[in-house]
Amino acid sequence: MNRAADVAVAGFGLLVAAPILGIAAAGVKLADGGPVLYRQQRVGKDGVEFELLKLRTMVVGAETKGAGAAVDEGDSRITGPGTLLRRLSIDELPQLWNVIRGDMSVIGPRPTLAYQVERYTPHQRRRLEVKPGLTGWAQVHGRARLPWAERIVDNRSPLVDLKILLRTPLALFSGTYKGASGGWRDPA
């Protein structure tokens, strides 16, 4: 998608999602009094880091407890409201603001963590040639259940982007859990 389309889609998405975001934010705040937003450094286009926004779905300081960055279904660090927010991918809605800021695109590979990028092969580094997206090939073809090698897409086109966009609503309900490896590589 081009920049104008990204801003239009993200702006419309924020407008439509505002009531849902308001209710979700209240639920996050009421659950434990901690911050509503979770901010995390992710790697974007050309390897430039940016601050990714999400609704907080885990206890404060969760990255330093338990499995660290890896999250699996039933993880005790997930808050009560966090379970529903993750299941419906509502926790990802603040990333519409990342799109408006220009850090992300609506469609592209999901942004990854720096430690993951450090382990990329030359082929995997091609992910960094485009802006990361809210949704993409992997999200509509199995999400974290898709083997890492199958998440790298070489053939992008407006038609592929449109198909991804149309398949995204159904994919939102397919789950997001990644398992012990964090979902970015096949288990050994």
Side-chain angles (χ1 to χ4, degrees), residues 3 25 27 42 48-49 63 78 81 84 110 116 118-119 124 131-132 137 147 153-154 156 164 176 178:
R3 178 79 180 124
R42 295 287 181 106
V48 175
E49 289 193 14
E63 286 184 328
I78 299 173
L84 179 63
R110 290 295 294 155
Q116 294 169 327
E118 290 171 5
R119 298 176 184 169
Q124 292 166 345
K131 284 184 182 180
W137 179 263
V153 178
D154 292 319
R156 293 197 62 204
I164 289 169
T176 61
K178 299 168 181 67

mmCIF file with all atom_site columns, all heavy atoms in Angstrom, residues 3 25 27 42 48-49 63 78 81 84 110 116 118-119 124 131-132 137 147 153-154 156 164 176 178:
data_model
loop_
_atom_site.group_PDB
_atom_site.id
_atom_site.type_symbol
_atom_site.label_atom_id
_atom_site.label_alt_id
_atom_site.label_comp_id
_atom_site.label_asym_id
_atom_site.label_entity_id
_atom_site.label_seq_id
_atom_site.pdbx_PDB_ins_code
_atom_site.Cartn_x
_atom_site.Cartn_y
_atom_site.Cartn_z
_atom_site.occupancy
_atom_site.B_iso_or_equiv
_atom_site.pdbx_formal_charge
_atom_site.auth_seq_id
_atom_site.auth_comp_id
_atom_site.auth_asym_id
_atom_site.auth_atom_id
_atom_site.pdbx_PDB_model_num
ATOM 1   N N   . ARG A 1 3   ? 1.625   5.327   0.970  1.00 0.00 ? 3   ARG A N   1
ATOM 2   C CA  . ARG A 1 3   ? 1.513   6.081   2.220  1.00 0.00 ? 3   ARG A CA  1
ATOM 3   C C   . ARG A 1 3   ? 0.128   6.697   2.404  1.00 0.00 ? 3   ARG A C   1
ATOM 4   O O   . ARG A 1 3   ? -0.450  6.638   3.492  1.00 0.00 ? 3   ARG A O   1
ATOM 5   C CB  . ARG A 1 3   ? 2.614   7.151   2.257  1.00 0.00 ? 3   ARG A CB  1
ATOM 6   C CG  . ARG A 1 3   ? 2.578   8.012   3.478  1.00 0.00 ? 3   ARG A CG  1
ATOM 7   C CD  . ARG A 1 3   ? 3.183   7.298   4.675  1.00 0.00 ? 3   ARG A CD  1
ATOM 8   N NE  . ARG A 1 3   ? 3.130   8.176   5.810  1.00 0.00 ? 3   ARG A NE  1
ATOM 9   C CZ  . ARG A 1 3   ? 2.546   7.878   6.964  1.00 0.00 ? 3   ARG A CZ  1
ATOM 10  N NH1 . ARG A 1 3   ? 2.018   6.700   7.161  1.00 0.00 ? 3   ARG A NH1 1
ATOM 11  N NH2 . ARG A 1 3   ? 2.508   8.739   7.937  1.00 0.00 ? 3   ARG A NH2 1
ATOM 12  N N   . ALA A 1 25  ? -9.291  -0.056  27.000 1.00 0.00 ? 25  ALA A N   1
ATOM 13  C CA  . ALA A 1 25  ? -8.367  0.698   27.858 1.00 0.00 ? 25  ALA A CA  1
ATOM 14  C C   . ALA A 1 25  ? -8.881  0.744   29.292 1.00 0.00 ? 25  ALA A C   1
ATOM 15  O O   . ALA A 1 25  ? -8.105  0.579   30.245 1.00 0.00 ? 25  ALA A O   1
ATOM 16  C CB  . ALA A 1 25  ? -8.173  2.109   27.308 1.00 0.00 ? 25  ALA A CB  1
ATOM 17  N N   . GLY A 1 27  ? -10.795 -1.481  30.713 1.00 0.00 ? 27  GLY A N   1
ATOM 18  C CA  . GLY A 1 27  ? -10.615 -2.822  31.268 1.00 0.00 ? 27  GLY A CA  1
ATOM 19  C C   . GLY A 1 27  ? -9.191  -3.084  31.707 1.00 0.00 ? 27  GLY A C   1
ATOM 20  O O   . GLY A 1 27  ? -8.953  -3.664  32.770 1.00 0.00 ? 27  GLY A O   1
ATOM 21  N N   . ARG A 1 42  ? 10.854  -2.239  18.416 1.00 0.00 ? 42  ARG A N   1
ATOM 22  C CA  . ARG A 1 42  ? 10.811  -3.238  17.358 1.00 0.00 ? 42  ARG A CA  1
ATOM 23  C C   . ARG A 1 42  ? 11.670  -2.742  16.209 1.00 0.00 ? 42  ARG A C   1
ATOM 24  O O   . ARG A 1 42  ? 11.995  -1.565  16.116 1.00 0.00 ? 42  ARG A O   1
ATOM 25  C CB  . ARG A 1 42  ? 9.380   -3.472  16.860 1.00 0.00 ? 42  ARG A CB  1
ATOM 26  C CG  . ARG A 1 42  ? 8.435   -4.067  17.895 1.00 0.00 ? 42  ARG A CG  1
ATOM 27  C CD  . ARG A 1 42  ? 8.741   -5.534  18.149 1.00 0.00 ? 42  ARG A CD  1
ATOM 28  N NE  . ARG A 1 42  ? 7.834   -6.119  19.109 1.00 0.00 ? 42  ARG A NE  1
ATOM 29  C CZ  . ARG A 1 42  ? 6.865   -6.957  18.815 1.00 0.00 ? 42  ARG A CZ  1
ATOM 30  N NH1 . ARG A 1 42  ? 6.650   -7.329  17.569 1.00 0.00 ? 42  ARG A NH1 1
ATOM 31  N NH2 . ARG A 1 42  ? 6.099   -7.446  19.758 1.00 0.00 ? 42  ARG A NH2 1
ATOM 32  N N   . VAL A 1 48  ? 15.739  0.093   11.133 1.00 0.00 ? 48  VAL A N   1
ATOM 33  C CA  . VAL A 1 48  ? 15.571  1.212   12.063 1.00 0.00 ? 48  VAL A CA  1
ATOM 34  C C   . VAL A 1 48  ? 14.571  0.809   13.147 1.00 0.00 ? 48  VAL A C   1
ATOM 35  O O   . VAL A 1 48  ? 13.474  0.337   12.851 1.00 0.00 ? 48  VAL A O   1
ATOM 36  C CB  . VAL A 1 48  ? 15.080  2.470   11.323 1.00 0.00 ? 48  VAL A CB  1
ATOM 37  C CG1 . VAL A 1 48  ? 14.795  3.604   12.298 1.00 0.00 ? 48  VAL A CG1 1
ATOM 38  C CG2 . VAL A 1 48  ? 16.103  2.897   10.280 1.00 0.00 ? 48  VAL A CG2 1
ATOM 39  N N   . GLU A 1 49  ? 14.952  1.012   14.399 1.00 0.00 ? 49  GLU A N   1
ATOM 40  C CA  . GLU A 1 49  ? 14.057  0.670   15.504 1.00 0.00 ? 49  GLU A CA  1
ATOM 41  C C   . GLU A 1 49  ? 13.010  1.752   15.709 1.00 0.00 ? 49  GLU A C   1
ATOM 42  O O   . GLU A 1 49  ? 13.254  2.927   15.439 1.00 0.00 ? 49  GLU A O   1
ATOM 43  C CB  . GLU A 1 49  ? 14.851  0.446   16.791 1.00 0.00 ? 49  GLU A CB  1
ATOM 44  C CG  . GLU A 1 49  ? 15.665  -0.834  16.751 1.00 0.00 ? 49  GLU A CG  1
ATOM 45  C CD  . GLU A 1 49  ? 16.200  -1.247  18.105 1.00 0.00 ? 49  GLU A CD  1
ATOM 46  O OE1 . GLU A 1 49  ? 15.750  -0.707  19.139 1.00 0.00 ? 49  GLU A OE1 1
ATOM 47  O OE2 . GLU A 1 49  ? 17.063  -2.138  18.142 1.00 0.00 ? 49  GLU A OE2 1
ATOM 48  N N   . GLU A 1 63  ? 8.079   -9.114  30.815 1.00 0.00 ? 63  GLU A N   1
ATOM 49  C CA  . GLU A 1 63  ? 9.245   -9.558  30.029 1.00 0.00 ? 63  GLU A CA  1
ATOM 50  C C   . GLU A 1 63  ? 10.385  -10.057 30.909 1.00 0.00 ? 63  GLU A C   1
ATOM 51  O O   . GLU A 1 63  ? 11.256  -10.769 30.431 1.00 0.00 ? 63  GLU A O   1
ATOM 52  C CB  . GLU A 1 63  ? 9.751   -8.429  29.138 1.00 0.00 ? 63  GLU A CB  1
ATOM 53  C CG  . GLU A 1 63  ? 8.853   -8.178  27.946 1.00 0.00 ? 63  GLU A CG  1
ATOM 54  C CD  . GLU A 1 63  ? 9.420   -7.128  27.018 1.00 0.00 ? 63  GLU A CD  1
ATOM 55  O OE1 . GLU A 1 63  ? 10.111  -6.201  27.492 1.00 0.00 ? 63  GLU A OE1 1
ATOM 56  O OE2 . GLU A 1 63  ? 9.166   -7.238  25.820 1.00 0.00 ? 63  GLU A OE2 1
ATOM 57  N N   . ILE A 1 78  ? -0.614  -13.259 31.730 1.00 0.00 ? 78  ILE A N   1
ATOM 58  C CA  . ILE A 1 78  ? -1.676  -12.577 30.995 1.00 0.00 ? 78  ILE A CA  1
ATOM 59  C C   . ILE A 1 78  ? -2.776  -12.178 31.977 1.00 0.00 ? 78  ILE A C   1
ATOM 60  O O   . ILE A 1 78  ? -3.239  -12.992 32.772 1.00 0.00 ? 78  ILE A O   1
ATOM 61  C CB  . ILE A 1 78  ? -2.255  -13.471 29.879 1.00 0.00 ? 78  ILE A CB  1
ATOM 62  C CG1 . ILE A 1 78  ? -1.155  -13.830 28.878 1.00 0.00 ? 78  ILE A CG1 1
ATOM 63  C CG2 . ILE A 1 78  ? -3.416  -12.775 29.175 1.00 0.00 ? 78  ILE A CG2 1
ATOM 64  C CD1 . ILE A 1 78  ? -1.569  -14.846 27.825 1.00 0.00 ? 78  ILE A CD1 1
ATOM 65  N N   . PRO A 1 81  ? -8.439  -9.227  31.421 1.00 0.00 ? 81  PRO A N   1
ATOM 66  C CA  . PRO A 1 81  ? -8.855  -8.615  30.155 1.00 0.00 ? 81  PRO A CA  1
ATOM 67  C C   . PRO A 1 81  ? -7.898  -8.958  29.011 1.00 0.00 ? 81  PRO A C   1
ATOM 68  O O   . PRO A 1 81  ? -8.299  -9.030  27.852 1.00 0.00 ? 81  PRO A O   1
ATOM 69  C CB  . PRO A 1 81  ? -8.821  -7.110  30.435 1.00 0.00 ? 81  PRO A CB  1
ATOM 70  C CG  . PRO A 1 81  ? -8.742  -6.961  31.902 1.00 0.00 ? 81  PRO A CG  1
ATOM 71  C CD  . PRO A 1 81  ? -8.192  -8.234  32.456 1.00 0.00 ? 81  PRO A CD  1
ATOM 72  N N   . LEU A 1 84  ? -8.914  -11.862 26.505 1.00 0.00 ? 84  LEU A N   1
ATOM 73  C CA  . LEU A 1 84  ? -9.863  -11.506 25.449 1.00 0.00 ? 84  LEU A CA  1
ATOM 74  C C   . LEU A 1 84  ? -9.224  -10.573 24.424 1.00 0.00 ? 84  LEU A C   1
ATOM 75  O O   . LEU A 1 84  ? -9.397  -10.754 23.214 1.00 0.00 ? 84  LEU A O   1
ATOM 76  C CB  . LEU A 1 84  ? -11.114 -10.853 26.046 1.00 0.00 ? 84  LEU A CB  1
ATOM 77  C CG  . LEU A 1 84  ? -12.177 -10.424 25.040 1.00 0.00 ? 84  LEU A CG  1
ATOM 78  C CD1 . LEU A 1 84  ? -12.733 -11.642 24.306 1.00 0.00 ? 84  LEU A CD1 1
ATOM 79  C CD2 . LEU A 1 84  ? -13.294 -9.671  25.742 1.00 0.00 ? 84  LEU A CD2 1
ATOM 80  N N   . ARG A 1 110 ? 5.173   -8.639  9.990  1.00 0.00 ? 110 ARG A N   1
ATOM 81  C CA  . ARG A 1 110 ? 5.052   -8.134  11.357 1.00 0.00 ? 110 ARG A CA  1
ATOM 82  C C   . ARG A 1 110 ? 6.424   -7.699  11.864 1.00 0.00 ? 110 ARG A C   1
ATOM 83  O O   . ARG A 1 110 ? 7.437   -8.328  11.557 1.00 0.00 ? 110 ARG A O   1
ATOM 84  C CB  . ARG A 1 110 ? 4.473   -9.228  12.270 1.00 0.00 ? 110 ARG A CB  1
ATOM 85  C CG  . ARG A 1 110 ? 3.027   -9.533  11.995 1.00 0.00 ? 110 ARG A CG  1
ATOM 86  C CD  . ARG A 1 110 ? 2.090   -8.365  12.290 1.00 0.00 ? 110 ARG A CD  1
ATOM 87  N NE  . ARG A 1 110 ? 2.095   -8.105  13.726 1.00 0.00 ? 110 ARG A NE  1
ATOM 88  C CZ  . ARG A 1 110 ? 1.802   -6.922  14.260 1.00 0.00 ? 110 ARG A CZ  1
ATOM 89  N NH1 . ARG A 1 110 ? 1.489   -5.889  13.518 1.00 0.00 ? 110 ARG A NH1 1
ATOM 90  N NH2 . ARG A 1 110 ? 1.830   -6.761  15.563 1.00 0.00 ? 110 ARG A NH2 1
ATOM 91  N N   . GLN A 1 116 ? 15.856  -11.107 17.352 1.00 0.00 ? 116 GLN A N   1
ATOM 92  C CA  . GLN A 1 116 ? 15.456  -11.967 16.244 1.00 0.00 ? 116 GLN A CA  1
ATOM 93  C C   . GLN A 1 116 ? 16.167  -11.547 14.964 1.00 0.00 ? 116 GLN A C   1
ATOM 94  O O   . GLN A 1 116 ? 16.649  -12.390 14.209 1.00 0.00 ? 116 GLN A O   1
ATOM 95  C CB  . GLN A 1 116 ? 13.938  -11.915 16.055 1.00 0.00 ? 116 GLN A CB  1
ATOM 96  C CG  . GLN A 1 116 ? 13.179  -12.502 17.227 1.00 0.00 ? 116 GLN A CG  1
ATOM 97  C CD  . GLN A 1 116 ? 11.700  -12.202 17.166 1.00 0.00 ? 116 GLN A CD  1
ATOM 98  O OE1 . GLN A 1 116 ? 11.282  -11.155 16.680 1.00 0.00 ? 116 GLN A OE1 1
ATOM 99  N NE2 . GLN A 1 116 ? 10.887  -13.121 17.680 1.00 0.00 ? 116 GLN A NE2 1
ATOM 100 N N   . GLU A 1 118 ? 18.987  -10.096 14.664 1.00 0.00 ? 118 GLU A N   1
ATOM 101 C CA  . GLU A 1 118 ? 20.406  -10.473 14.747 1.00 0.00 ? 118 GLU A CA  1
ATOM 102 C C   . GLU A 1 118 ? 20.645  -11.894 14.244 1.00 0.00 ? 118 GLU A C   1
ATOM 103 O O   . GLU A 1 118 ? 21.732  -12.212 13.781 1.00 0.00 ? 118 GLU A O   1
ATOM 104 C CB  . GLU A 1 118 ? 20.892  -10.362 16.201 1.00 0.00 ? 118 GLU A CB  1
ATOM 105 C CG  . GLU A 1 118 ? 20.987  -8.939  16.690 1.00 0.00 ? 118 GLU A CG  1
ATOM 106 C CD  . GLU A 1 118 ? 21.257  -8.849  18.189 1.00 0.00 ? 118 GLU A CD  1
ATOM 107 O OE1 . GLU A 1 118 ? 21.465  -9.907  18.839 1.00 0.00 ? 118 GLU A OE1 1
ATOM 108 O OE2 . GLU A 1 118 ? 21.240  -7.724  18.709 1.00 0.00 ? 118 GLU A OE2 1
ATOM 109 N N   . ARG A 1 119 ? 19.633  -12.731 14.307 1.00 0.00 ? 119 ARG A N   1
ATOM 110 C CA  . ARG A 1 119 ? 19.760  -14.126 13.891 1.00 0.00 ? 119 ARG A CA  1
ATOM 111 C C   . ARG A 1 119 ? 19.227  -14.379 12.481 1.00 0.00 ? 119 ARG A C   1
ATOM 112 O O   . ARG A 1 119 ? 19.215  -15.523 12.031 1.00 0.00 ? 119 ARG A O   1
ATOM 113 C CB  . ARG A 1 119 ? 19.019  -15.021 14.881 1.00 0.00 ? 119 ARG A CB  1
ATOM 114 C CG  . ARG A 1 119 ? 19.606  -14.938 16.268 1.00 0.00 ? 119 ARG A CG  1
ATOM 115 C CD  . ARG A 1 119 ? 18.791  -15.752 17.237 1.00 0.00 ? 119 ARG A CD  1
ATOM 116 N NE  . ARG A 1 119 ? 19.315  -15.597 18.577 1.00 0.00 ? 119 ARG A NE  1
ATOM 117 C CZ  . ARG A 1 119 ? 18.701  -16.011 19.657 1.00 0.00 ? 119 ARG A CZ  1
ATOM 118 N NH1 . ARG A 1 119 ? 17.543  -16.624 19.569 1.00 0.00 ? 119 ARG A NH1 1
ATOM 119 N NH2 . ARG A 1 119 ? 19.229  -15.829 20.841 1.00 0.00 ? 119 ARG A NH2 1
ATOM 120 N N   . GLN A 1 124 ? 16.173  -13.816 5.108  1.00 0.00 ? 124 GLN A N   1
ATOM 121 C CA  . GLN A 1 124 ? 15.228  -13.266 6.078  1.00 0.00 ? 124 GLN A CA  1
ATOM 122 C C   . GLN A 1 124 ? 15.384  -11.758 6.237  1.00 0.00 ? 124 GLN A C   1
ATOM 123 O O   . GLN A 1 124 ? 14.419  -11.054 6.500  1.00 0.00 ? 124 GLN A O   1
ATOM 124 C CB  . GLN A 1 124 ? 15.399  -13.973 7.425  1.00 0.00 ? 124 GLN A CB  1
ATOM 125 C CG  . GLN A 1 124 ? 14.978  -15.429 7.379  1.00 0.00 ? 124 GLN A CG  1
ATOM 126 C CD  . GLN A 1 124 ? 15.452  -16.212 8.578  1.00 0.00 ? 124 GLN A CD  1
ATOM 127 O OE1 . GLN A 1 124 ? 16.324  -15.782 9.331  1.00 0.00 ? 124 GLN A OE1 1
ATOM 128 N NE2 . GLN A 1 124 ? 14.883  -17.405 8.756  1.00 0.00 ? 124 GLN A NE2 1
ATOM 129 N N   . LYS A 1 131 ? 8.314   -1.601  5.088  1.00 0.00 ? 131 LYS A N   1
ATOM 130 C CA  . LYS A 1 131 ? 7.811   -1.274  6.421  1.00 0.00 ? 131 LYS A CA  1
ATOM 131 C C   . LYS A 1 131 ? 7.076   -2.477  6.986  1.00 0.00 ? 131 LYS A C   1
ATOM 132 O O   . LYS A 1 131 ? 6.389   -3.192  6.262  1.00 0.00 ? 131 LYS A O   1
ATOM 133 C CB  . LYS A 1 131 ? 6.837   -0.091  6.358  1.00 0.00 ? 131 LYS A CB  1
ATOM 134 C CG  . LYS A 1 131 ? 7.503   1.235   6.170  1.00 0.00 ? 131 LYS A CG  1
ATOM 135 C CD  . LYS A 1 131 ? 6.472   2.340   6.232  1.00 0.00 ? 131 LYS A CD  1
ATOM 136 C CE  . LYS A 1 131 ? 7.144   3.677   5.989  1.00 0.00 ? 131 LYS A CE  1
ATOM 137 N NZ  . LYS A 1 131 ? 6.162   4.766   6.037  1.00 0.00 ? 131 LYS A NZ  1
ATOM 138 N N   . PRO A 1 132 ? 7.205   -2.687  8.288  1.00 0.00 ? 132 PRO A N   1
ATOM 139 C CA  . PRO A 1 132 ? 6.417   -3.751  8.909  1.00 0.00 ? 132 PRO A CA  1
ATOM 140 C C   . PRO A 1 132 ? 4.941   -3.368  8.864  1.00 0.00 ? 132 PRO A C   1
ATOM 141 O O   . PRO A 1 132 ? 4.598   -2.192  8.759  1.00 0.00 ? 132 PRO A O   1
ATOM 142 C CB  . PRO A 1 132 ? 6.949   -3.804  10.339 1.00 0.00 ? 132 PRO A CB  1
ATOM 143 C CG  . PRO A 1 132 ? 7.564   -2.475  10.580 1.00 0.00 ? 132 PRO A CG  1
ATOM 144 C CD  . PRO A 1 132 ? 8.023   -1.964  9.246  1.00 0.00 ? 132 PRO A CD  1
ATOM 145 N N   . TRP A 1 137 ? 1.210   -11.548 5.076  1.00 0.00 ? 137 TRP A N   1
ATOM 146 C CA  . TRP A 1 137 ? 1.137   -12.914 4.570  1.00 0.00 ? 137 TRP A CA  1
ATOM 147 C C   . TRP A 1 137 ? 0.996   -13.935 5.702  1.00 0.00 ? 137 TRP A C   1
ATOM 148 O O   . TRP A 1 137 ? 0.121   -14.786 5.681  1.00 0.00 ? 137 TRP A O   1
ATOM 149 C CB  . TRP A 1 137 ? 2.381   -13.197 3.730  1.00 0.00 ? 137 TRP A CB  1
ATOM 150 C CG  . TRP A 1 137 ? 2.421   -14.580 3.190  1.00 0.00 ? 137 TRP A CG  1
ATOM 151 C CD1 . TRP A 1 137 ? 3.072   -15.656 3.719  1.00 0.00 ? 137 TRP A CD1 1
ATOM 152 C CD2 . TRP A 1 137 ? 1.767   -15.055 2.009  1.00 0.00 ? 137 TRP A CD2 1
ATOM 153 N NE1 . TRP A 1 137 ? 2.862   -16.770 2.947  1.00 0.00 ? 137 TRP A NE1 1
ATOM 154 C CE2 . TRP A 1 137 ? 2.066   -16.425 1.883  1.00 0.00 ? 137 TRP A CE2 1
ATOM 155 C CE3 . TRP A 1 137 ? 0.959   -14.454 1.055  1.00 0.00 ? 137 TRP A CE3 1
ATOM 156 C CZ2 . TRP A 1 137 ? 1.589   -17.199 0.845  1.00 0.00 ? 137 TRP A CZ2 1
ATOM 157 C CZ3 . TRP A 1 137 ? 0.489   -15.231 0.013  1.00 0.00 ? 137 TRP A CZ3 1
ATOM 158 C CH2 . TRP A 1 137 ? 0.803   -16.590 -0.087 1.00 0.00 ? 137 TRP A CH2 1
ATOM 159 N N   . PRO A 1 147 ? 5.436   -22.145 9.717  1.00 0.00 ? 147 PRO A N   1
ATOM 160 C CA  . PRO A 1 147 ? 6.893   -22.241 9.910  1.00 0.00 ? 147 PRO A CA  1
ATOM 161 C C   . PRO A 1 147 ? 7.585   -20.961 9.432  1.00 0.00 ? 147 PRO A C   1
ATOM 162 O O   . PRO A 1 147 ? 7.157   -20.332 8.461  1.00 0.00 ? 147 PRO A O   1
ATOM 163 C CB  . PRO A 1 147 ? 7.288   -23.437 9.039  1.00 0.00 ? 147 PRO A CB  1
ATOM 164 C CG  . PRO A 1 147 ? 6.047   -24.234 8.894  1.00 0.00 ? 147 PRO A CG  1
ATOM 165 C CD  . PRO A 1 147 ? 4.910   -23.237 8.904  1.00 0.00 ? 147 PRO A CD  1
ATOM 166 N N   . VAL A 1 153 ? 7.937   -13.624 2.198  1.00 0.00 ? 153 VAL A N   1
ATOM 167 C CA  . VAL A 1 153 ? 7.235   -13.535 0.925  1.00 0.00 ? 153 VAL A CA  1
ATOM 168 C C   . VAL A 1 153 ? 8.062   -12.681 -0.029 1.00 0.00 ? 153 VAL A C   1
ATOM 169 O O   . VAL A 1 153 ? 8.431   -11.555 0.279  1.00 0.00 ? 153 VAL A O   1
ATOM 170 C CB  . VAL A 1 153 ? 5.847   -12.900 1.109  1.00 0.00 ? 153 VAL A CB  1
ATOM 171 C CG1 . VAL A 1 153 ? 5.134   -12.771 -0.215 1.00 0.00 ? 153 VAL A CG1 1
ATOM 172 C CG2 . VAL A 1 153 ? 5.034   -13.718 2.085  1.00 0.00 ? 153 VAL A CG2 1
ATOM 173 N N   . ASP A 1 154 ? 8.369   -13.239 -1.188 1.00 0.00 ? 154 ASP A N   1
ATOM 174 C CA  . ASP A 1 154 ? 9.158   -12.515 -2.170 1.00 0.00 ? 154 ASP A CA  1
ATOM 175 C C   . ASP A 1 154 ? 8.299   -11.789 -3.202 1.00 0.00 ? 154 ASP A C   1
ATOM 176 O O   . ASP A 1 154 ? 8.732   -10.822 -3.797 1.00 0.00 ? 154 ASP A O   1
ATOM 177 C CB  . ASP A 1 154 ? 10.115  -13.476 -2.894 1.00 0.00 ? 154 ASP A CB  1
ATOM 178 C CG  . ASP A 1 154 ? 11.204  -13.993 -1.962 1.00 0.00 ? 154 ASP A CG  1
ATOM 179 O OD1 . ASP A 1 154 ? 11.722  -13.198 -1.174 1.00 0.00 ? 154 ASP A OD1 1
ATOM 180 O OD2 . ASP A 1 154 ? 11.509  -15.191 -2.031 1.00 0.00 ? 154 ASP A OD2 1
ATOM 181 N N   . ARG A 1 156 ? 5.345   -9.526  -3.905 1.00 0.00 ? 156 ARG A N   1
ATOM 182 C CA  . ARG A 1 156 ? 4.335   -8.599  -3.408 1.00 0.00 ? 156 ARG A CA  1
ATOM 183 C C   . ARG A 1 156 ? 3.722   -7.874  -4.588 1.00 0.00 ? 156 ARG A C   1
ATOM 184 O O   . ARG A 1 156 ? 4.392   -7.573  -5.557 1.00 0.00 ? 156 ARG A O   1
ATOM 185 C CB  . ARG A 1 156 ? 4.968   -7.588  -2.455 1.00 0.00 ? 156 ARG A CB  1
ATOM 186 C CG  . ARG A 1 156 ? 5.465   -8.251  -1.177 1.00 0.00 ? 156 ARG A CG  1
ATOM 187 C CD  . ARG A 1 156 ? 5.716   -7.264  -0.092 1.00 0.00 ? 156 ARG A CD  1
ATOM 188 N NE  . ARG A 1 156 ? 4.463   -6.593  0.246  1.00 0.00 ? 156 ARG A NE  1
ATOM 189 C CZ  . ARG A 1 156 ? 4.422   -5.400  0.797  1.00 0.00 ? 156 ARG A CZ  1
ATOM 190 N NH1 . ARG A 1 156 ? 5.491   -4.736  1.054  1.00 0.00 ? 156 ARG A NH1 1
ATOM 191 N NH2 . ARG A 1 156 ? 3.257   -4.852  1.089  1.00 0.00 ? 156 ARG A NH2 1
ATOM 192 N N   . ILE A 1 164 ? -4.703  -10.114 1.134  1.00 0.00 ? 164 ILE A N   1
ATOM 193 C CA  . ILE A 1 164 ? -4.318  -10.139 2.552  1.00 0.00 ? 164 ILE A CA  1
ATOM 194 C C   . ILE A 1 164 ? -5.302  -9.306  3.361  1.00 0.00 ? 164 ILE A C   1
ATOM 195 O O   . ILE A 1 164 ? -5.786  -9.736  4.414  1.00 0.00 ? 164 ILE A O   1
ATOM 196 C CB  . ILE A 1 164 ? -2.870  -9.634  2.734  1.00 0.00 ? 164 ILE A CB  1
ATOM 197 C CG1 . ILE A 1 164 ? -1.888  -10.673 2.190  1.00 0.00 ? 164 ILE A CG1 1
ATOM 198 C CG2 . ILE A 1 164 ? -2.579  -9.308  4.202  1.00 0.00 ? 164 ILE A CG2 1
ATOM 199 C CD1 . ILE A 1 164 ? -0.457  -10.180 2.083  1.00 0.00 ? 164 ILE A CD1 1
ATOM 200 N N   . THR A 1 176 ? -3.062  -16.263 18.490 1.00 0.00 ? 176 THR A N   1
ATOM 201 C CA  . THR A 1 176 ? -1.785  -15.579 18.323 1.00 0.00 ? 176 THR A CA  1
ATOM 202 C C   . THR A 1 176 ? -0.628  -16.222 19.066 1.00 0.00 ? 176 THR A C   1
ATOM 203 O O   . THR A 1 176 ? 0.470   -15.705 19.028 1.00 0.00 ? 176 THR A O   1
ATOM 204 C CB  . THR A 1 176 ? -1.902  -14.129 18.837 1.00 0.00 ? 176 THR A CB  1
ATOM 205 O OG1 . THR A 1 176 ? -2.238  -14.166 20.215 1.00 0.00 ? 176 THR A OG1 1
ATOM 206 C CG2 . THR A 1 176 ? -2.938  -13.350 18.070 1.00 0.00 ? 176 THR A CG2 1
ATOM 207 N N   . LYS A 1 178 ? 2.531   -18.333 20.308 1.00 0.00 ? 178 LYS A N   1
ATOM 208 C CA  . LYS A 1 178 ? 3.707   -18.697 19.537 1.00 0.00 ? 178 LYS A CA  1
ATOM 209 C C   . LYS A 1 178 ? 4.490   -19.873 20.097 1.00 0.00 ? 178 LYS A C   1
ATOM 210 O O   . LYS A 1 178 ? 5.326   -20.416 19.428 1.00 0.00 ? 178 LYS A O   1
ATOM 211 C CB  . LYS A 1 178 ? 4.628   -17.481 19.436 1.00 0.00 ? 178 LYS A CB  1
ATOM 212 C CG  . LYS A 1 178 ? 3.963   -16.325 18.733 1.00 0.00 ? 178 LYS A CG  1
ATOM 213 C CD  . LYS A 1 178 ? 4.795   -15.068 18.914 1.00 0.00 ? 178 LYS A CD  1
ATOM 214 C CE  . LYS A 1 178 ? 4.167   -13.878 18.259 1.00 0.00 ? 178 LYS A CE  1
ATOM 215 N NZ  . LYS A 1 178 ? 2.928   -13.465 18.882 1.00 0.00 ? 178 LYS A NZ  1
#
